[in-house]
Amino acid sequence: MNELIIKDVSFSYTGGENVIENINLSLKEGELVSILGVSGCGKSTLFNVVSGLRKARTGTITLAGEDITGKPGKISYMLQKDLLLPYRTIEDNVALPLILSGMRKKEARAQVQDGIKRFGLDGVQKKYPSELSGGMRQRAALLRTYMFSSKAALLDEPFSALDTLTKSEMHAWYLKVMDEIKLSTLFITHDIDEAILLSDRICLMTGKPATISEEIIITQPRPRSRDFTLTTEFLQYKKQILEKL
Amino acid sequence: MKRKLRSTTSNLLPVASILALLAIWELVSDTGLVPKFMLPSPVDICAAFISDFPLLWENSWVTLAETFIGLLFGIIIGFVMAMLMDFFTPVRKALYPIVVITQTIPAVAIAPLLVLWFGYEMVPKIILVVFIVFFPVTVSLLDGFESTDRDTINLMRSMGAGKMQIFRYVKFPAALGNFFSSLKIAVSYAVVGAVISEWLGGFCGLGVYMTRVKKSYSFDKMFAVIFLISALSLLLMFGVKLLKKKCMPWENKE
């Protein structure tokens, strides 16, 4: 089972108070769990710890039974900025995680072609990131994240830099792709609508130091369409979240 | 249409200003406003250039060879130093001030010393060119390495990239733009550096030729060399531009 388990994780910057405290979270295979909280509450810090970039003060993180606490390079991580390297073509950007793991360039390129088609990047693989729109760049960044590890991904507000229309288009696209690739995803957002639309579960992160104060299960089956956002059910979820945040 | 017209005019403008300058010069010299033996006219200079061409050609090769060898070693040394300073903070702390101090030493002042130490052949000239070139290269590369986006480096780390991989895939390509800007300056400095060190002692090269024609008061030939040196510098700068285009294909796409 490719399960990600975060157990009793706390973190503080050297000498400071805890930024996050006793975070307990589990992510089952193919599940999408959102972490919702106000800006600056410690969501990104949690991701830095889970991805191994920062050392947890306490607690452990296990992925598919393996202890990955403090070990970078085990779980894929995507940030708000696409961070595509401007000097590599789209396919070479996407193939980068494979190349970093020691695969030959030619082989890596061949291996990403499938994903390029699936992610709707066909025809732009030889282009440079600067030639693409924000939405397309974000798709490429997401594919790169997926190429790195198909076990689990951490997405840190991946769509928040996009304009509203592109964002809604990306949501529709994302729901469709997710349904095909079934990537277990931990998703940070401060957009309540986005969280309800995309997630199986929503964890509310509040307080100082931040903890996960509430877990809301969205029962609406996937794949969901955009119309879901217009239902009374959706509004009820939203009301419930707003009350608790 | 209008835009095209405008861009043609703006392209012609620098050509026109240079031509105008040459015309004024010709006039000043021809009318005797400035005596001809002191300021030969552009036409005289062209004539001198043509009559002396075989000699200029021969000497150019020597100077160019010194320039290129010096550039090559200067770039290699600059690159290695920048890389070491980027990888190891203590190395940077120890070396950076020394690198800066070397640039406060006037090249003209050490050139005669180099001649005394290394003789009249090519070696002292090459060393001077290296001395001039390595500084802009080191500093620009180091700046480039350091200006790499923190988030990108973190992302690379999260993908399990090691220090060397981050250098190869992120820092190095990110510093290329800086590198080529510095190289553009370095090539013109390199030519001038080679000429200066030839002034101060040597058997051949444009600098040696220059001191020779100066001693015989052939101002027309003197100017012919000066023009040739500028032309060579411009040519090299153009070469750097082409190289940059070739090495950084993503820059041409927007």
Side-chain angles (χ1 to χ4, degrees):
Chain A
M1 239 334 227
N2 289 331
E3 198 178 10
L4 175 72
I5 299 164
I6 300 168
K7 199 162 180 267
D8 296 328
V9 165
S10 304
F11 174 81
S12 67
Y13 292 97
T14 27
E17 281 174 36
N18 278 355
V19 182
I20 49 177
E21 204 165 63
N22 296 329
I23 304 280
N24 283 295
L25 225 164
S26 71
L27 181 67
K28 293 185 197 73
E29 193 162 358
E31 208 179 16
L32 196 150
V33 174
S34 285
I35 297 173
L36 190 63
V38 290
S39 297
C41 73
K43 298 177 302 233
S44 296
T45 310
L46 172 65
F47 270 23
N48 277 328
V49 174
V50 176
S51 65
L53 292 178
R54 291 192 179 278
K55 281 199 171 66
R57 184 184 238 178
T58 60
T60 53
I61 296 139
T62 34
L63 176 65
E66 186 193 352
D67 185 3
I68 61 162
T69 322
K71 289 182 196 159
K74 297 286 181 188
I75 188 164
S76 44
Y77 189 4
M78 174 179 165
L79 290 106
Q80 179 183 346
K81 290 187 278 176
D82 57 67
L83 296 179
L84 294 169
L85 301 176
Y87 24 80
R88 295 177 83 85
T89 57
I90 292 299
E91 68 176 358
D92 285 350
N93 258 297
V94 169
L96 190 62
L98 302 177
I99 292 171
L100 287 178
S101 71
M103 195 183 278
R104 278 216 233 108
K105 200 171 179 180
K106 216 172 163 185
E107 212 177 314
R109 269 189 190 159
Q111 196 154 331
V112 298
Q113 293 311 319
D114 213 33
I116 282 178
K117 285 200 190 74
R118 178 168 275 168
F119 277 61
L121 292 164
D122 220 1
V124 300
Q125 62 262 59
K126 300 278 181 209
K127 293 198 170 177
Y128 289 99
S130 62
E131 299 174 273
L132 265 60
S133 68
M136 288 298 260
R137 282 212 294 270
Q138 220 56 17
R139 284 188 194 195
L142 199 60
L143 177 55
R144 176 178 60 185
T145 312
Y146 178 62
M147 289 317 296
F148 173 66
S149 159
S150 48
K151 281 183 191 162
L154 308 173
L155 307 188
D156 190 347
E157 306 198 354
F159 306 132
S160 67
L162 303 171
D163 61 87
T164 322
L165 285 175
T166 316
K167 193 171 173 178
S168 131
E169 201 180 293
M170 283 296 283
H171 284 156
W173 170 82
Y174 183 72
L175 285 170
K176 192 180 131 265
V177 168
M178 272 302 124
D179 208 48
E180 287 176 27
I181 63 178
K182 298 201 169 29
L183 177 67
S184 325
T185 310
L186 207 53
F187 194 101
I188 285 182
T189 180
H190 57 242
D191 179 340
I192 300 175
D193 289 14
E194 181 175 77
I196 302 171
L197 177 63
L198 301 179
S199 329
D200 297 305
R201 278 185 290 141
I202 299 174
C203 295
L204 302 185
M205 204 163 166
T206 50
K208 209 159 201 163
T211 49
I212 291 184
S213 53
E214 195 81 34
E215 192 178 294
I216 293 156
I217 297 165
I218 311 285
T219 48
Q220 175 82 9
R222 290 200 288 165
R224 296 166 192 154
S225 74
R226 238 182 291 182
D227 296 339
F228 175 50
T229 53
L230 305 171
T231 58
T232 41
E233 237 182 322
F234 186 90
L235 286 175
Q236 252 152 20
Y237 282 128
K238 195 167 176 176
K239 195 165 166 239
Q240 192 186 349
I241 292 166
L242 280 170
E243 274 164 10
K244 280 168 181 161
L245 260 182
Chain B
M1 185 64 202
K2 211 167 190 177
R3 176 181 290 171
K4 198 175 176 193
L5 208 70
R6 199 178 299 154
S7 85
T8 341
T9 0
S10 65
N11 279 339
L12 285 178
L13 219 55
V15 179
S17 66
I18 290 170
L19 284 179
L21 203 68
L22 287 174
I24 294 169
W25 182 348
E26 183 75 42
L27 223 67
V28 167
S29 179
D30 279 350
T31 53
L33 213 64
V34 178
K36 262 210 161 173
F37 68 87
M38 281 178 75
L39 184 70
S41 75
V43 173
D44 297 335
I45 294 166
C46 275
F49 183 83
I50 293 164
S51 74
D52 257 14
F53 186 74
L55 265 176
L56 287 171
W57 177 258
E58 209 174 280
N59 285 304
S60 294
W61 281 113
V62 179
T63 306
L64 279 179
E66 290 157 5
T67 307
F68 275 118
I69 299 171
L71 268 172
L72 185 72
F73 282 105
I75 291 169
I76 293 173
I77 294 173
F79 185 83
V80 171
M81 283 189 55
M83 208 170 142
L84 285 175
M85 291 204 281
D86 182 64
F87 269 65
F88 309 106
T89 319
V91 175
R92 174 167 61 232
K93 288 214 167 118
L95 283 188
Y96 202 85
I98 297 176
V99 171
V100 174
I101 288 168
T102 60
Q103 284 317 289
T104 60
I105 301 169
V108 197
I110 57 160
L113 282 175
L114 291 174
V115 172
L116 289 177
W117 290 335
F118 301 102
Y120 286 86
E121 298 293 334
M122 268 170 121
V123 181
K125 283 99 183 170
I126 292 168
I127 292 176
L128 193 77
V129 175
V130 170
F131 185 77
I132 292 172
V133 166
F134 93 95
F135 177 74
V137 172
T138 310
V139 173
S140 68
L141 277 174
L142 194 61
D143 265 3
F145 295 157
E146 280 177 353
S147 66
T148 331
D149 185 41
R150 292 287 342 149
D151 284 340
T152 308
I153 291 176
N154 271 338
L155 179 81
M156 294 288 287
R157 279 182 56 216
S158 85
M159 292 197 279
K163 238 181 168 179
M164 202 58 215
Q165 283 179 318
I166 290 176
F167 181 81
R168 179 173 164 197
Y169 293 109
V170 181
K171 288 188 168 185
F172 177 64
L176 268 183
N178 271 9
F179 169 70
F180 279 111
S181 308
S182 73
L183 194 59
K184 213 168 156 186
I185 304 169
V187 287
S188 57
Y189 282 6
V191 177
V192 175
V195 170
I196 289 178
S197 62
E198 284 165 357
W199 281 353
L200 299 161
F203 302 117
C204 44
L206 288 175
V208 175
Y209 179 82
M210 239 173 158
T211 46
R212 234 179 259 156
V213 292
K214 195 193 82 187
K215 275 179 194 148
S216 62
Y217 293 97
S218 323
F219 283 12
D220 50 347
K221 289 180 182 177
M222 188 83 182
F223 274 105
V225 197
I226 293 174
F227 279 177
L228 180 62
I229 292 168
S230 325
L232 288 177
S233 292
L234 282 175
L235 214 66
L236 286 177
M237 279 156 95
F238 182 69
V240 171
K241 204 175 158 186
L242 285 184
L243 194 68
K244 181 185 174 184
K245 229 174 178 171
K246 184 103 187 129
C247 294
M248 302 174 73
W250 59 90
E251 283 276 289
N252 316 320
K253 312 235 171 127
E254 265 316 319

mmCIF file of all heavy atoms in Angstrom, chain B residues 93-110:
data_model
loop_
_atom_site.group_PDB
_atom_site.id
_atom_site.type_symbol
_atom_site.label_atom_id
_atom_site.label_comp_id
_atom_site.label_asym_id
_atom_site.label_seq_id
_atom_site.Cartn_x
_atom_site.Cartn_y
_atom_site.Cartn_z
ATOM 1 N N LYS B 93 35.489 33.152 0.932
ATOM 2 C CA LYS B 93 35.913 34.187 1.888
ATOM 3 C C LYS B 93 37.390 34.473 1.747
ATOM 4 O O LYS B 93 37.838 35.611 1.861
ATOM 5 C CB LYS B 93 35.590 33.728 3.307
ATOM 6 C CG LYS B 93 34.098 33.766 3.575
ATOM 7 C CD LYS B 93 33.786 34.144 5.008
ATOM 8 C CE LYS B 93 32.323 34.495 5.198
ATOM 9 N NZ LYS B 93 31.639 33.597 6.118
ATOM 10 N N ALA B 94 38.179 33.420 1.514
ATOM 11 C CA ALA B 94 39.629 33.589 1.441
ATOM 12 C C ALA B 94 40.055 34.216 0.120
ATOM 13 O O ALA B 94 40.959 35.058 0.087
ATOM 14 C CB ALA B 94 40.315 32.242 1.626
ATOM 15 N N LEU B 95 39.414 33.811 -0.965
ATOM 16 C CA LEU B 95 39.912 34.220 -2.288
ATOM 17 C C LEU B 95 39.324 35.518 -2.823
ATOM 18 O O LEU B 95 39.989 36.250 -3.545
ATOM 19 C CB LEU B 95 39.662 33.107 -3.309
ATOM 20 C CG LEU B 95 40.598 31.914 -3.269
ATOM 21 C CD1 LEU B 95 40.337 31.010 -4.459
ATOM 22 C CD2 LEU B 95 42.054 32.370 -3.277
ATOM 23 N N TYR B 96 38.065 35.793 -2.476
ATOM 24 C CA TYR B 96 37.392 36.918 -3.111
ATOM 25 C C TYR B 96 38.158 38.242 -2.986
ATOM 26 O O TYR B 96 38.356 38.931 -3.982
ATOM 27 C CB TYR B 96 35.965 37.054 -2.569
ATOM 28 C CG TYR B 96 35.058 37.809 -3.506
ATOM 29 C CD1 TYR B 96 34.406 37.160 -4.549
ATOM 30 C CD2 TYR B 96 34.875 39.180 -3.374
ATOM 31 C CE1 TYR B 96 33.590 37.850 -5.423
ATOM 32 C CE2 TYR B 96 34.055 39.883 -4.255
ATOM 33 C CZ TYR B 96 33.420 39.210 -5.266
ATOM 34 O OH TYR B 96 32.616 39.893 -6.134
ATOM 35 N N PRO B 97 38.625 38.587 -1.772
ATOM 36 C CA PRO B 97 39.373 39.848 -1.668
ATOM 37 C C PRO B 97 40.624 39.856 -2.550
ATOM 38 O O PRO B 97 40.935 40.870 -3.164
ATOM 39 C CB PRO B 97 39.766 39.914 -0.195
ATOM 40 C CG PRO B 97 38.962 38.914 0.497
ATOM 41 C CD PRO B 97 38.503 37.903 -0.484
ATOM 42 N N ILE B 98 41.274 38.699 -2.629
ATOM 43 C CA ILE B 98 42.491 38.644 -3.443
ATOM 44 C C ILE B 98 42.147 38.887 -4.910
ATOM 45 O O ILE B 98 42.818 39.640 -5.619
ATOM 46 C CB ILE B 98 43.194 37.271 -3.280
ATOM 47 C CG1 ILE B 98 43.625 37.108 -1.818
ATOM 48 C CG2 ILE B 98 44.389 37.160 -4.211
ATOM 49 C CD1 ILE B 98 44.242 35.770 -1.505
ATOM 50 N N VAL B 99 41.065 38.267 -5.345
ATOM 51 C CA VAL B 99 40.633 38.453 -6.733
ATOM 52 C C VAL B 99 40.375 39.937 -7.010
ATOM 53 O O VAL B 99 40.773 40.475 -8.037
ATOM 54 C CB VAL B 99 39.365 37.619 -7.014
ATOM 55 C CG1 VAL B 99 38.775 37.955 -8.371
ATOM 56 C CG2 VAL B 99 39.684 36.139 -6.949
ATOM 57 N N VAL B 100 39.698 40.593 -6.066
ATOM 58 C CA VAL B 100 39.406 42.016 -6.256
ATOM 59 C C VAL B 100 40.687 42.839 -6.272
ATOM 60 O O VAL B 100 40.867 43.715 -7.120
ATOM 61 C CB VAL B 100 38.445 42.526 -5.154
ATOM 62 C CG1 VAL B 100 38.250 44.023 -5.262
ATOM 63 C CG2 VAL B 100 37.106 41.812 -5.257
ATOM 64 N N ILE B 101 41.609 42.518 -5.355
ATOM 65 C CA ILE B 101 42.863 43.279 -5.293
ATOM 66 C C ILE B 101 43.648 43.162 -6.598
ATOM 67 O O ILE B 101 44.193 44.146 -7.089
ATOM 68 C CB ILE B 101 43.727 42.817 -4.081
ATOM 69 C CG1 ILE B 101 43.071 43.302 -2.785
ATOM 70 C CG2 ILE B 101 45.147 43.354 -4.183
ATOM 71 C CD1 ILE B 101 43.647 42.668 -1.537
ATOM 72 N N THR B 102 43.645 41.968 -7.186
ATOM 73 C CA THR B 102 44.397 41.816 -8.440
ATOM 74 C C THR B 102 43.916 42.813 -9.487
ATOM 75 O O THR B 102 44.695 43.259 -10.329
ATOM 76 C CB THR B 102 44.235 40.407 -9.049
ATOM 77 O OG1 THR B 102 42.866 40.174 -9.317
ATOM 78 C CG2 THR B 102 44.782 39.336 -8.143
ATOM 79 N N GLN B 103 42.646 43.177 -9.405
ATOM 80 C CA GLN B 103 42.129 44.097 -10.413
ATOM 81 C C GLN B 103 42.495 45.545 -10.151
ATOM 82 O O GLN B 103 42.331 46.403 -11.007
ATOM 83 C CB GLN B 103 40.612 43.951 -10.519
ATOM 84 C CG GLN B 103 40.217 42.719 -11.252
ATOM 85 C CD GLN B 103 41.053 42.466 -12.492
ATOM 86 O OE1 GLN B 103 40.932 43.188 -13.477
ATOM 87 N NE2 GLN B 103 41.919 41.459 -12.448
ATOM 88 N N THR B 104 42.974 45.835 -8.932
ATOM 89 C CA THR B 104 43.383 47.214 -8.661
ATOM 90 C C THR B 104 44.821 47.436 -9.103
ATOM 91 O O THR B 104 45.286 48.554 -9.146
ATOM 92 C CB THR B 104 43.254 47.533 -7.163
ATOM 93 O OG1 THR B 104 44.108 46.625 -6.453
ATOM 94 C CG2 THR B 104 41.833 47.341 -6.682
ATOM 95 N N ILE B 105 45.523 46.353 -9.424
ATOM 96 C CA ILE B 105 46.890 46.495 -9.925
ATOM 97 C C ILE B 105 46.818 46.853 -11.402
ATOM 98 O O ILE B 105 46.230 46.109 -12.181
ATOM 99 C CB ILE B 105 47.662 45.168 -9.765
ATOM 100 C CG1 ILE B 105 47.684 44.759 -8.297
ATOM 101 C CG2 ILE B 105 49.078 45.291 -10.315
ATOM 102 C CD1 ILE B 105 48.190 43.353 -8.076
ATOM 103 N N PRO B 106 47.386 47.996 -11.800
ATOM 104 C CA PRO B 106 47.297 48.357 -13.205
ATOM 105 C C PRO B 106 48.072 47.377 -14.086
ATOM 106 O O PRO B 106 49.243 47.074 -13.811
ATOM 107 C CB PRO B 106 47.904 49.761 -13.260
ATOM 108 C CG PRO B 106 48.578 49.971 -11.964
ATOM 109 C CD PRO B 106 48.049 48.995 -10.976
ATOM 110 N N ALA B 107 47.403 46.906 -15.126
ATOM 111 C CA ALA B 107 48.027 45.936 -16.028
ATOM 112 C C ALA B 107 49.294 46.502 -16.659
ATOM 113 O O ALA B 107 50.287 45.794 -16.823
ATOM 114 C CB ALA B 107 47.026 45.524 -17.100
ATOM 115 N N VAL B 108 49.246 47.793 -16.987
ATOM 116 C CA VAL B 108 50.411 48.424 -17.626
ATOM 117 C C VAL B 108 51.631 48.347 -16.720
ATOM 118 O O VAL B 108 52.765 48.271 -17.181
ATOM 119 C CB VAL B 108 50.112 49.909 -17.931
ATOM 120 C CG1 VAL B 108 51.101 50.453 -18.938
ATOM 121 C CG2 VAL B 108 48.692 50.087 -18.409
ATOM 122 N N ALA B 109 51.379 48.379 -15.410
ATOM 123 C CA ALA B 109 52.496 48.384 -14.468
ATOM 124 C C ALA B 109 53.153 47.017 -14.343
ATOM 125 O O ALA B 109 54.369 46.926 -14.159
ATOM 126 C CB ALA B 109 52.015 48.856 -13.101
ATOM 127 N N ILE B 110 52.362 45.961 -14.447
ATOM 128 C CA ILE B 110 52.992 44.655 -14.278
ATOM 129 C C ILE B 110 53.524 44.089 -15.590
ATOM 130 O O ILE B 110 54.345 43.179 -15.581
ATOM 131 C CB ILE B 110 52.073 43.617 -13.585
ATOM 132 C CG1 ILE B 110 50.772 43.459 -14.358
ATOM 133 C CG2 ILE B 110 51.828 43.938 -12.139
ATOM 134 C CD1 ILE B 110 50.100 42.157 -14.023
#
